[in-house]
Amino acid sequence: MVKHNEKQILPHKETVEVVNLGDEIEKKEVKIGACITTKTKRDLVELLQEFKDVFAWSYQDMPGLSTDIVVHRLPIKEECKPVQQKLRRMRLDVLLKIKEEVKKQFDAGFLQVVKYSEWVANIVPVPKKDGKVRICVDYRDLNKASPKDNFSLPHIDTLVDNTAGYSLFSFMDGFSGYNQIKMHPEDMNKTIFVTMWGTFCYKVMPFGLKNAGATYQRAMVTLFHDMMHKEIEVYVDDMIAKSRTEE
């Protein structure tokens, strides 16, 4: 929500004041090239305030998608046997950052402790710009044993063609989108990863699984099938709402 007093075209990059729902103001650097009016900004703030209960502001706010709509399964090819990766050595500073992220996900209800396991994978820490690490799991062995889900993703050129004739676009990105889909209870133990503090499995769909993108796209098609290619376009967890006029 960009705060300005008059209608103007913002340059490609500018530091502007952003108003959050608590009426606080903070500086943000944004990339934007659209025409923004005071009325549009006021309407957006009012819309967010009116429907703030449907927006996720933290992991704890996410109820997740109903299992009646979608659930992620992990079928295994009959000829494939479980693989248990050995715990890898890492530097102490990296281990402490991993512990912090694991605790955050555990507190959010994404993980549960597992004592006995067949499939075991290692964490692959990916550095972030803020100095923290992103937790990725080495699911290569599991992915090799899983058959491919052939649910197709949209063609990019089709999505681009479908935007012709529209003047305004609202770009939306799912907040921790994959983690809003539950794992099937029978398949949770296949997502196990090992740490210095124990072994954990995912109760929600994690990144790195072979068919995670297909499962997410299938869920979006189920939810928005009557709106896709009309009011919105969806590519996995990226969505565009299309408008012919500002009103």
Side-chain angles (χ1 to χ4, degrees):
M1 293 155 284
V2 185
K3 183 180 181 182
H4 279 273
N5 294 323
E6 59 184 15
K7 180 176 179 178
Q8 63 176 335
I9 301 294
L10 295 178
H12 181 66
K13 181 181 290 187
E14 179 177 317
T15 299
V16 297
E17 292 179 344
V18 178
V19 182
N20 64 25
L21 292 182
D23 294 329
E24 297 175 351
I25 297 177
E26 56 181 322
K27 297 290 184 178
K28 291 284 188 180
E29 187 178 71
V30 298
K31 294 180 180 179
I32 192 166
C35 185
I36 300 176
T37 66
T38 301
K39 181 180 182 301
T40 300
K41 290 174 285 188
R42 184 172 60 250
D43 291 345
L44 178 58
V45 172
E46 292 176 355
L47 180 71
L48 290 173
Q49 289 175 332
E50 181 179 356
F51 297 102
K52 62 183 179 181
D53 58 315
V54 304
F55 292 97
W57 306 105
S58 68
Y59 289 127
Q60 284 73 20
D61 293 335
M62 298 194 318
L65 292 178
S66 168
T67 53
D68 293 333
I69 298 174
V70 63
V71 66
H72 190 64
R73 295 300 308 259
L74 282 174
I76 301 296
K77 300 173 185 175
E78 292 183 1
E79 66 273 16
C80 295
K81 296 181 179 180
V83 177
Q84 296 182 349
Q85 299 177 6
K86 301 298 181 182
L87 179 63
R88 297 171 186 166
R89 294 185 178 181
M90 298 182 191
R91 300 195 320 266
L92 178 60
D93 60 324
V94 176
L95 288 173
L96 293 176
K97 292 178 180 179
I98 289 176
K99 183 178 181 180
E100 180 183 351
E101 290 300 312
V102 169
K103 183 179 183 304
K104 183 189 299 183
Q105 293 194 19
F106 183 84
D107 292 343
F110 292 176
L111 304 174
Q112 70 181 23
V113 176
V114 181
K115 293 185 178 180
Y116 303 100
S117 56
E118 292 184 330
W119 289 93
V120 179
N122 270 287
I123 284 180
V124 180
V126 179
K128 298 165 69 173
K129 292 182 179 179
D130 59 4
K132 298 181 180 180
V133 298
R134 185 188 307 278
I135 290 182
C136 298
V137 182
D138 184 2
Y139 285 130
R140 285 178 293 181
D141 295 317
L142 180 61
N143 288 340
K144 289 177 183 178
S146 301
K148 179 176 173 55
D149 183 345
N150 290 311
F151 191 90
S152 60
L153 299 180
H155 292 290
I156 297 299
D157 55 348
T158 301
L159 298 182
V160 173
D161 290 343
N162 288 342
T163 62
Y166 293 87
S167 58
L168 293 175
F169 303 94
S170 299
F171 294 85
M172 296 169 287
D173 168 86
F175 176 72
S176 194
Y178 280 24
N179 299 146
Q180 296 193 50
I181 293 178
K182 303 289 196 307
M183 289 294 304
H184 192 283
E186 295 179 1
D187 294 320
M188 289 180 186
N189 280 5
K190 298 171 186 174
T191 67
I192 292 171
F193 61 88
V194 61
T195 71
M196 292 282 290
W197 309 277
T199 51
F200 303 85
C201 74
Y202 275 96
K203 297 193 292 183
V204 297
M205 186 173 71
F207 287 93
L209 292 181
K210 185 176 185 178
N211 298 312
T215 296
Y216 196 96
Q217 185 70 27
R218 181 184 284 106
M220 295 300 99
V221 171
T222 301
L223 292 171
F224 301 111
H225 65 91
D226 57 340
M227 298 176 66
M228 292 174 65
H229 313 312
K230 297 177 182 177
E231 294 90 355
I232 67 172
E233 301 295 337
V234 180
Y235 188 87
V236 193
D237 63 343
D238 290 306
M239 301 175 61
I240 302 176
K242 306 179 294 185
S243 306
R244 295 193 183 277
T245 65
E246 184 174 320
E247 288 73 24

